[in-house]
Amino acid sequence: MTQSQPWWKGGIIYQIYPRSFMDSKGDGIGDLRGATGKLPYVASLGVDAIWLSPFFPSPMKDFGYDVSDYRGVDPLFGTMEDFRALVSEAHRLNLKVIIDQVISHTSDVHPWFEESRRSRDNPKADWFVWADPKPDGTPPNNWLSIFGGSAWAWDTRRGQYYLHNFLASQPDLNFHNPEVRQAQLDNMRFWLDLGVDGFRLDTVNFYFHNQNLADNPAVPAGENKTFVAQGMNPYTYQRHVNDLSQPENIGFLNDLRALMDEYPETTLVGEIGDDRPLERMAEYTSGDDRLHMAYSFDLLSDRHEPEYVRDVVKRYQQGLGDGWPCWALSNHDVVRVVSRWADGGEDLRLYPRVLMALLLSLRGSVSMYQGEELGLPEASVPYEELQDPYGISFWPEFRGRDGCRTPIVWEPSPKGGFTSGKPWLPVDRDHLEFAVSKQEADPESTLNSVRRLIHWRQQQPALVQGDITVFDDTGEALCWSRKTTEQFLLVALNLTGEELRLPLPCAISRPLEGHGFHGYVEGSQLVLPPYQAFFAET
């Protein structure tokens, strides 16, 4: 297929959560050497890139999203030499390397914060968001932490509050300070010089705050809550108009893009959690001087009814302009999609495959999460073995993120072939039947079916690069066309356990083969057996 656009545009990114991918040392925690040893497996899937979740030095109170050194490798994960070896091996296998950058906040043991909290007049006094209390001693405003409670923590040394959008041990940097912005750009340059091909930017719209510290308004009665924990978290009762997504962020995105433009073929993908995610994505990815692409939580939610999915795809097509989405159905922060979208009785051999067909047929780039190719459901983690502070705080209504972070099962043994030690999270016994070694030996397994689908998709110009038009009035079926000058395709998907019959949404010239699905045409009708798809040229 002719490459008419950059590798990332329409590319497939495989997310590796290093703690749970492969342990080479026997301490129960996955590491960089373990991940490097499994890169041939990742490359065999046909993906274009890997995304490594944080491996930087950290006290691990939020498992690496609380960084204490932006230019190092935590000994849990190995050494800088291990990282260099991973990049070298990935590039040998024609895999690009994207790494997380968690630059909106640090750990409270980062040297920057330790210096900042010592006094109000030290060189880094203004590197974090500090504020005096109200006259009655309460926090300066009503902003809330995503992890529960006030977003302000009291510091006795300065006699002030500091802002933390997440854990109290994750103080927010003050991006209104130009020294902070330059320091983070320099840290990113460090990794670019080591050969990384891009960054996944954690909470990319959280960098700036309203300098007047104005209160957030309440969500009006009857309106939907926001993007976090489905309304059970008090954070969702506010409209987040002052604590994130500030207009000053655009200038910093310009600076980020200018840095990336010094390193050809690199990319930025931003995570956006916002009350108006599509509006923010369009703003952050428009033109050629901001993010290359971004993703939001629209398909990482519980909602999956056909009319909802159609509406999401249409809204993005109509509202994103020249911006570019990166679609995901699962990641390290949400319940695995096989379980999240399950209505009961799903065929766990077929359901994950048609979900992957959905993901791979959307217009945009794709981020798939480790284990998604195996069809892994959410793991069951008992309360006494929970590690996630988010889950511990909101148990049992919200069980946190540990269920999607359990170790990958490489073989059907008690420890899943992940480690020779005690896994940091328990291996779910129900996952053993999904083990890589078992699926590799079965030509019709989910793994081999997804592998064939990915390789097939990579050869279809319309699926990688084409425009999309959604067909309405197709009932429970999801139907859209993908079009380039080279190819015009019809895509039809049945995410239900019932056979669907519907009139052909458009004329077709020939059904396509090689993708592994069994939808077919009968007269003027399109027939989609349970959990099946249909692809045809028109």
Side-chain angles (χ1 to χ4, degrees):
M1 184 176 66
T2 302
Q3 184 72 24
S4 61
Q5 57 189 20
W7 69 266
W8 55 266
K9 201 166 191 179
I12 303 174
I13 303 165
Y14 183 93
Q15 182 190 354
I16 292 176
Y17 191 71
R19 294 183 72 91
S20 299
F21 199 58
M22 185 65 196
D23 171 24
S24 71
K25 303 193 300 290
D27 60 0
I29 297 173
D31 48 57
L32 294 180
R33 285 190 181 183
T36 301
K38 294 297 185 182
L39 287 181
Y41 163 80
V42 176
S44 77
L45 299 175
V47 302
D48 299 288
I50 60 168
W51 151 27
L52 286 175
S53 291
F55 51 85
F56 315 108
S58 165
M60 299 295 166
K61 292 182 179 179
D62 192 22
F63 300 103
Y65 286 89
D66 48 333
V67 179
S68 59
D69 178 1
Y70 284 104
R71 299 193 186 190
V73 174
D74 194 287
L76 277 174
F77 299 120
T79 66
M80 188 62 76
E81 188 54 42
D82 292 334
F83 177 77
R84 291 189 179 96
L86 183 147
V87 172
S88 177
E89 174 67 355
H91 289 167
R92 185 186 72 81
L93 294 166
N94 294 316
L95 291 170
K96 304 289 187 179
V97 178
I98 294 171
I99 65 172
D100 247 304
Q101 288 290 279
V102 192
I103 63 175
S104 67
H105 54 267
T106 72
S107 163
D108 61 354
V109 299
H110 193 292
W112 293 349
F113 187 69
E114 290 182 333
E115 181 175 353
S116 185
R117 74 190 316 181
R118 287 190 192 121
S119 68
R120 298 191 186 192
D121 58 2
N122 66 75
K124 290 189 171 52
D126 192 39
W127 277 46
F128 292 82
V129 184
W130 295 96
D132 292 327
K134 291 181 178 178
D136 62 0
T138 56
N141 61 27
N142 71 346
W143 296 353
L144 295 172
S145 162
I146 286 180
F147 285 174
S150 174
W152 296 95
W154 179 253
D155 185 83
T156 56
R157 276 161 282 192
R158 286 185 53 140
Q160 287 182 304
Y161 284 97
Y162 65 86
L163 179 68
H164 61 92
N165 278 298
F166 300 92
L167 295 175
S169 57
Q170 293 171 295
D172 273 72
L173 283 158
N174 177 19
F175 271 73
H176 292 286
N177 184 329
E179 292 180 343
V180 170
R181 299 196 300 271
Q182 188 58 54
Q184 292 295 38
L185 291 170
D186 291 344
N187 285 331
M188 294 173 74
R189 184 183 294 277
F190 171 84
W191 293 103
L192 290 166
D193 287 341
L194 286 175
V196 305
D197 303 290
F199 301 111
R200 179 262 187 186
L201 298 170
D202 188 65
T203 59
V204 70
N205 55 318
F206 279 63
Y207 298 156
F208 286 83
H209 65 284
N210 177 282
Q211 287 186 288
N212 295 324
L213 303 184
D215 281 352
N216 281 328
V219 174
E223 287 194 17
N224 290 333
K225 301 293 192 289
T226 64
F227 51 90
V228 180
Q230 296 81 49
M232 69 187 68
N233 184 338
Y235 187 88
T236 67
Y237 286 77
Q238 293 183 357
R239 285 281 181 243
H240 294 277
V241 298
N242 290 313
D243 50 347
L244 49 86
S245 300
Q246 298 303 290
E248 295 94 331
N249 213 34
I250 297 299
F252 182 65
L253 297 184
N254 296 152
D255 294 340
L256 274 176
R257 183 59 177 266
L259 170 65
M260 303 303 286
D261 287 346
E262 295 180 36
Y263 298 81
E265 292 296 297
T266 59
T267 191
L268 294 168
V269 54
E271 175 199 37
I272 295 176
D274 191 84
D275 296 342
R276 296 181 174 85
L278 177 57
E279 177 183 317
R280 203 62 57 219
M281 283 180 65
E283 180 184 22
Y284 282 13
T285 64
S286 65
D288 59 3
D289 61 352
R290 301 177 186 181
L291 302 180
H292 298 86
M293 50 185 168
Y295 74 88
S296 72
F297 293 81
D298 289 279
L299 294 184
L300 292 169
S301 73
D302 291 344
R303 295 194 63 185
H304 63 286
E305 60 271 23
E307 56 270 23
Y308 174 77
V309 176
R310 274 193 290 267
D311 180 63
V312 168
V313 177
K314 286 194 294 185
R315 283 191 292 108
Y316 275 65
Q317 180 63 7
Q318 295 163 5
L320 204 52
D322 64 347
W324 192 257
C326 184
W327 296 99
L329 298 180
S330 290
N331 68 18
H332 63 292
D333 280 335
V334 298
V335 173
R336 286 185 177 275
V337 66
V338 170
S339 299
R340 196 176 71 249
W341 283 11
D343 295 321
E346 278 76 11
D347 183 330
L348 289 186
R349 288 184 314 107
L350 299 178
Y351 191 47
R353 306 177 194 185
V354 74
L355 293 178
M356 189 60 64
L358 164 65
L359 183 63
L360 292 171
S361 66
L362 294 170
R363 177 182 180 268
S365 302
V366 170
S367 177
M368 56 183 290
Y369 181 48
Q370 63 181 44
E372 212 168 348
E373 75 280 8
L374 304 175
L376 287 185
E378 185 79 350
S380 176
V381 180
Y383 178 78
E384 60 272 16
E385 296 196 65
L386 284 184
Q387 304 291 326
D388 181 18
Y390 199 5
I392 292 169
S393 295
F394 288 97
W395 179 277
E397 284 76 16
F398 176 61
R399 295 173 179 261
R401 302 166 294 180
D402 287 335
C404 66
R405 296 178 175 183
T406 58
I408 293 297
V409 282
W410 297 100
E411 59 186 46
S413 62
K415 297 174 184 177
F418 162 72
T419 183
S420 59
K422 181 183 177 181
W424 76 284
L425 280 173
V427 174
D428 191 324
R429 293 183 63 184
D430 290 342
H431 278 188
L432 298 183
E433 65 179 287
F434 299 92
V436 172
S437 63
K438 288 188 67 174
Q439 295 204 41
E440 289 279 18
D442 178 4
E444 299 308 315
S445 67
T446 298
L447 170 59
N448 281 317
S449 297
V450 168
R451 184 181 277 138
R452 283 193 295 270
L453 176 62
I454 291 173
H455 281 277
W456 177 83
R457 181 263 193 189
Q458 300 286 55
Q459 299 304 312
Q460 310 305 318
L463 293 181
V464 177
Q465 304 173 3
D467 294 332
I468 190 168
T469 301
V470 177
F471 293 104
D472 292 315
D473 304 319
T474 56
E476 291 291 302
L478 293 170
C479 301
W480 42 73
S481 66
R482 299 294 309 279
K483 182 179 181 181
T484 65
T485 55
E486 300 173 66
Q487 190 180 43
F488 195 168
L489 295 185
L490 167 66
V491 178
L493 306 160
N494 178 6
L495 273 57
T496 79
E498 305 293 330
E499 180 180 273
L500 299 179
R501 290 175 173 262
L502 63 152
L504 275 167
C506 62
I508 64 170
S509 60
R510 68 181 183 98
L512 295 179
E513 298 178 347
H515 44 70
F517 289 98
H518 305 297
Y520 60 94
V521 174
E522 190 175 84
S524 61
Q525 280 199 317
L526 174 57
V527 182
L528 295 172
Y531 312 116
Q532 291 297 322
F534 177 78
F535 298 88
E537 289 189 337
T538 67

